[in-house]
């Protein structure tokens, strides 16, 4: 049986890449075809520490490097899978890992869970030279077709597109609105300024001038915006009677929010936005999604088919999209149903596992 060594961060902290890596590493399907080992290369205990240099991280990096060398000698993998950091301190750490791995000759697979290669290369000649060097003769996995451009100018042996998958799980059937209840709008992401939560509040102020039959829940973990700041901002905008700031929600509480919601909004302009799992979760629950053209989102949501897209930072355009779905209940229903169908067809964990297995088997065919 061929062997894979996974070099990838897993929760904590919890984010799209770490969740996807955990699914992959614990996959029974892949275990049927490949013997594998895993080394957790994550050095950040919190999301806000990801990509940042800290002297406190160096001992952990050294221990990881020793573990990698030991496994290369003893386990002798045919494939080394690296969840490559596209920017920041972690990229330079990964460059060191790659140089060591290449001494042993396995097939090297980079899984790009975010974007930032092109921007970092534009800002640093050293970054450009190193990225061109490490991508030679490797295989690359992108999260969507639209994210291929982030590696423009880099040459590699082969490339693949594999969308994330989210656990299927049971979902209660959506109940058609009787026209009397308030339409519920949901934001479910961290309280990060570039995720657009402030833009959403600004847009809701515009919407409230002509519409009053809606309620909003802003759920998320404070990051660079505190719970108190967001609550005060909502009050300043005169929206305290219809916008609820509830902080992070998990497990059953999060499911309850998704089941009660009628519209999901993620107005992100996060510079490393790639393939937000929060959108997949909303699609799983049959919600029409309003979001931006950032990263791989246009490959997740087709404008006017299973959601609505608008240019990031355009508050007026965001307000118009919200107003349109408030005014068109049949459109809300049809977009949500289409989003649910697409989720089941393309974005489940089982589909993700099958696609990743096909990638590994293509790179390293099994012996007959």
């Amino acid at each position: 049986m061929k062997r894979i060594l996974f070099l990838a961060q897993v929760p904590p902290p919890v984010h799209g890449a770490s969740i996807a890596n955990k699914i992959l590493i614990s996959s029974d399907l892949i275990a049927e075809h490949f013997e594998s080992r895993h080394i957790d290369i994550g050095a950040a205990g919190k999301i806000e520490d990801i990509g940042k240099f800290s002297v406190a991280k160096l001992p952990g990096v050294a221990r990881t490097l020793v573990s990698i060398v030991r496994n290369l000698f003893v386990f002798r993998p045919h494939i080394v899978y690296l969840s490559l950091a596209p920017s920041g301190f972690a990229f330079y750490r990964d460059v060191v890992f790659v140089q060591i791995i290449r001494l042993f000759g396995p097939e090297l697979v980079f899984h790009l869970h975010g974007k930032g290669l092109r921007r970092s290369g534009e800002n640093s000649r050293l970054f450009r030279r190193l990225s061109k060097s490490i991508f030679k003769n490797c295989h690359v996995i992108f999260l969507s077709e639209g994210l291929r451009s982030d590696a423009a100018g880099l040459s590699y042996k082969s490339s693949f597109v594999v969308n994330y998958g989210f656990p299927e799980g049971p979902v209660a059937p959506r109940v058609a609105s009787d026209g009397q209840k308030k339409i519920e709008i949901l934001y479910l992401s961290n309280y990060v300024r570039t995720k657009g939560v402030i833009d959403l509040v600004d847009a809701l102020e515009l919407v409230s001038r002509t519409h009053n039959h809606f309620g909003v829940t802003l759920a998320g973990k404070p990051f660079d915006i505190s719970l108190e700041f967001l609550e005060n901002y909502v009050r300043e905008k005169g929206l305290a009677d219809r916008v609820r700031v509830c902080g992070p929600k998990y497990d059953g509480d999060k499911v309850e929010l998704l089941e009660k919601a009628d519209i999901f909004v993620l107005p992100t302009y996060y510079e490393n936005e790639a393939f937000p799992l929060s959108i997949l979760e909303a699609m799983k629950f049959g919600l029409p999604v309003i979001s931006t053209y950032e990263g791989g989102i246009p490959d997740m949501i087709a404008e006017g088919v299973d959601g609505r897209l608008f240019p990031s930072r355009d508050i007026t355009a965001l307000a118009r999209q919200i107003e349109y779905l408030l005014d068109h209940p049949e459109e809300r229903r049809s977009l949500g149903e289409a989003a649910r169908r697409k989720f089941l067809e393309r974005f489940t964990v089982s589909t993700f596992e099958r696609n990743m297995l096909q990638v590994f088997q293509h790179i390293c065919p099994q012996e007959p």
Side-chain angles (χ1 to χ4, degrees), residues 29-77:
L29 178 64
I30 291 175
E32 290 175 9
H33 297 84
F34 288 89
E35 183 182 354
S36 68
R37 290 187 182 179
H38 167 236
I39 299 173
D40 189 349
I41 62 172
K46 298 182 290 184
I47 289 179
E48 50 265 38
D49 294 333
I50 293 175
K52 296 179 180 178
F53 173 76
S54 168
V55 173
K57 292 181 179 181
L58 294 179
V61 172
R63 287 191 295 270
T64 299
L65 186 56
V66 170
S67 183
I68 290 172
V69 172
R70 183 185 302 116
N71 276 275
L72 290 168
F73 267 115
V74 177
F75 184 55
R76 298 232 173 239

Side-chain angles (χ1 to χ4, degrees), residues 228-241:
E228 293 75 21
F229 176 90
L230 195 53
E231 288 174 335
N232 289 336
Y233 195 78
V234 166
R235 278 194 293 270
E236 290 171 6
K237 294 293 181 178
L239 298 170
D241 60 335

Side-chain angles (χ1 to χ4, degrees), residues 257-321:
L257 289 180
L258 288 159
E259 287 179 340
K260 289 183 177 180
D262 299 290
I263 301 169
F264 180 85
V265 185
L266 183 69
T268 178
Y269 55 99
Y270 176 52
E271 63 180 4
N272 290 334
E273 195 68 82
F275 211 81
L277 286 183
S278 59
I279 289 181
L280 294 188
E281 196 164 12
M283 296 173 73
K284 168 185 173 177
F285 281 83
L287 292 176
V289 174
I290 298 175
S291 194
T292 63
Y293 292 94
E294 294 293 322
I297 294 173
D299 294 318
M300 306 169 75
I301 298 295
E303 164 62 26
V305 176
D306 38 45
R308 309 283 296 191
L309 301 177
F310 70 98
S312 56
R313 304 310 317 273
D314 190 333
I315 307 300
T316 303
L318 172 56
R320 283 199 299 264
Q321 295 286 30

Side-chain angles (χ1 to χ4, degrees), residues 85-88 91-92 115-132 135 149-154 272:
S87 61
F91 170 80
Y92 296 98
K115 66 179 184 179
L117 286 169
R118 185 169 60 181
R119 186 186 66 254
S120 297
E122 290 170 350
N123 295 330
S124 168
R125 179 180 299 178
L126 174 62
F127 188 99
R128 285 198 304 274
R129 293 181 62 182
L130 290 174
S131 57
K132 287 181 179 179
F135 271 79
S149 61
D150 197 48
L154 301 176
N272 290 334

Side-chain angles (χ1 to χ4, degrees), residues 105-149:
E107 296 288 348
L108 187 56
V109 180
F110 293 159
H111 200 162
L112 297 178
H113 292 281
K115 66 179 184 179
L117 286 169
R118 185 169 60 181
R119 186 186 66 254
S120 297
E122 290 170 350
N123 295 330
S124 168
R125 179 180 299 178
L126 174 62
F127 188 99
R128 285 198 304 274
R129 293 181 62 182
L130 290 174
S131 57
K132 287 181 179 179
S133 173
I134 67 170
F135 271 79
K136 287 180 180 178
N137 297 317
C138 75
H139 309 272
V140 184
I141 302 172
F142 297 96
L143 297 183
S144 76
E145 286 290 345
L147 291 169
R148 285 184 182 273
S149 61

Side-chain angles (χ1 to χ4, degrees), residues 237-265:
K237 294 293 181 178
L239 298 170
D241 60 335
R242 67 180 71 229
V243 177
R244 181 168 70 106
V245 179
C246 65
K249 295 292 181 181
Y250 305 102
D251 302 324
D253 292 335
K254 184 169 68 169
V255 168
E256 184 178 355
L257 289 180
L258 288 159
E259 287 179 340
K260 289 183 177 180
D262 299 290
I263 301 169
F264 180 85
V265 185

Side-chain angles (χ1 to χ4, degrees), residues 1-6 33-37 71-81 106-107 360 364 366-367:
M1 183 179 286
K2 296 296 179 71
R3 298 177 293 278
I4 302 177
L5 177 61
F6 289 103
H33 297 84
F34 288 89
E35 183 182 354
S36 68
R37 290 187 182 179
N71 276 275
L72 290 168
F73 267 115
V74 177
F75 184 55
R76 298 232 173 239
H78 298 89
I79 296 174
V80 173
Y81 165 102
E107 296 288 348
F360 294 143
C364 190
Q366 301 289 339
E367 297 174 359

